[in-house]
Amino acid sequence: MFEIAVCDDNALDRKSLIERIEKNMPEPESMRIHEYDSGKSLLNSIKGIRFSIIFLDIQMGELSGEETAIRIREMDNNVILVFNTGFVEPSPRSFEVQPYRYIMKNMAADVMDRYIKDALKRMIEFSQAPLMKASVNREMLFLKADDIVYIEKYKKSTRVYISENAIKIYGIKADHNGQLPDIRIQEKLESIYEKLMVYGFGYPHDSFLINFKYLIYCTGKALKLKDVDCMFPITRSKAVEFNKLKQEFMLSKYKEGEL
């Protein structure tokens, strides 16, 4: 069951958006909508419900949509966020929480329907992404694609670096020196790439894969990922395919007329 949250302190706006979501549901029997009139009530529900997608107003009393989104990301790094607002333009803080879409309430009906359909389609695609079987401290760990920042070749296996939020969610603890344990996947990098390339991963170098979701800077020869100090090189042999996948990812996220 896909759990969908609609959070807006305006009852009429909630009703209107819910009607549009219901109209555009590709699989109505597998989707359930929950509505909230404040960021606080939504955050309380997240403790007991694993939402697949959240439609979130930005201008709300007491707790704004941006602040609510920041707190959501502290609890769940994978849920799809869609900002839905009447007046506010996106700020740098808006993009820090990685919204998938930014919908204006005064959009033309056909455009809004297209954005909603696309967000729901993305929600379904995410649910179909494979879980990656990994190990940490000799214990099994099943990682979602969105948990992974990058994967590198390491000896005869691969080593995985996951997001800070994922580290918290999985309860992975550092040792007394502050070092996190290695997370390994016992597969070749090439075979992992075949599984993940359609879910927003690129292969810029023979030694590692990266998740475009965490890409914050990229030139023709190097890239930088969120929460990672080093720069990653892009080799000439991988550049064409890598840039093609990067462009497809960016276009799927920020289409013409979107932010």
Side-chain angles (χ1 to χ4, degrees):
M1 179 67 70
F2 294 101
E3 307 289 356
I4 301 171
V6 173
C7 183
D8 194 314
D9 58 359
N10 185 301
L12 290 177
D13 286 344
R14 282 200 312 275
K15 182 176 182 293
S16 176
L17 180 57
I18 288 171
E19 288 174 352
R20 289 209 165 275
I21 293 171
E22 290 175 338
K23 172 187 173 184
N24 290 288
M25 281 181 175
E27 301 173 12
E29 68 285 351
S30 66
M31 299 182 186
R32 181 165 49 200
I33 298 176
H34 308 256
E35 60 177 299
Y36 302 94
D37 61 4
S38 69
K40 185 177 180 180
S41 61
L42 170 61
L43 291 169
N44 286 335
S45 290
I46 289 177
K47 298 173 183 177
I49 302 173
R50 188 69 184 266
F51 291 110
S52 302
I53 189 168
I54 296 173
F55 291 85
L56 184 61
D57 185 25
I58 290 183
Q59 282 188 313
M60 295 191 293
E62 186 178 358
L63 199 63
S64 72
E66 285 186 344
E67 184 61 38
T68 302
I70 289 169
R71 298 192 189 183
I72 288 170
R73 281 290 177 240
E74 292 172 353
M75 304 165 72
D76 190 334
N77 195 45
N78 293 308
V79 64
I80 297 171
L81 288 178
V82 177
F83 280 132
N84 179 52
T85 186
F87 306 103
V88 180
E89 292 296 325
S91 71
R93 288 188 84 202
S94 298
F95 292 104
E96 288 178 7
V97 296
Q98 301 168 329
Y100 182 67
R101 286 287 180 270
Y102 200 103
I103 297 175
M104 301 298 290
K105 294 180 182 179
N106 60 356
M107 279 178 170
D110 61 329
V111 177
M112 186 176 291
D113 284 344
R114 176 162 59 89
Y115 288 6
I116 291 172
K117 283 180 181 177
D118 185 68
L120 295 175
K121 178 183 176 183
R122 186 65 169 169
M123 175 187 74
I124 293 172
E125 288 175 349
F126 274 9
S127 73
Q128 296 168 343
L131 292 174
M132 301 305 298
K133 183 179 177 182
S135 61
V136 57
N137 290 331
R138 299 184 180 179
E139 294 185 3
M140 202 67 68
L141 186 66
F142 290 92
L143 298 171
K144 293 183 177 181
D146 261 18
D147 295 327
I148 299 169
V149 179
Y150 72 98
I151 306 172
E152 67 175 357
K153 282 185 178 179
Y154 185 75
K155 296 182 178 179
K156 294 183 179 181
S157 63
T158 55
R159 184 159 54 185
V160 187
Y161 295 82
I162 61 177
S163 69
E164 292 182 1
N165 282 335
I167 290 170
K168 295 176 185 176
I169 290 168
Y170 292 111
I172 298 173
K173 304 294 185 183
D175 62 20
H176 63 280
N177 293 318
Q179 295 294 316
L180 290 167
D182 281 352
I183 302 173
R184 305 281 186 86
I185 295 178
Q186 299 298 325
E187 287 187 56
K188 291 183 178 180
L189 206 60
E190 294 84 353
S191 65
I192 296 174
Y193 177 58
E194 289 176 4
K195 293 178 182 178
L196 295 180
M197 63 182 295
V198 296
Y199 298 103
F201 281 72
Y203 201 177
H205 191 280
D206 286 335
S207 298
F208 52 84
L209 308 177
I210 66 103
N211 188 341
F212 287 118
K213 173 182 174 180
Y214 298 98
L215 183 66
I216 59 174
Y217 174 81
C218 186
T219 68
K221 296 182 178 180
L223 62 92
K224 191 172 190 319
L225 300 173
K226 185 174 184 250
D227 299 327
V228 182
D229 291 334
C230 63
M231 296 287 288
F232 295 81
I234 301 172
T235 59
R236 185 177 300 177
S237 62
K238 299 285 188 182
V240 173
E241 181 174 314
F242 176 79
N243 287 326
K244 178 176 178 289
L245 290 174
K246 181 185 72 174
Q247 184 178 29
E248 289 175 356
F249 178 83
M250 294 303 177
L251 285 175
S252 73
K253 190 167 185 177
Y254 306 114
K255 295 180 180 176
E256 183 179 355
E258 295 180 46
L259 294 168

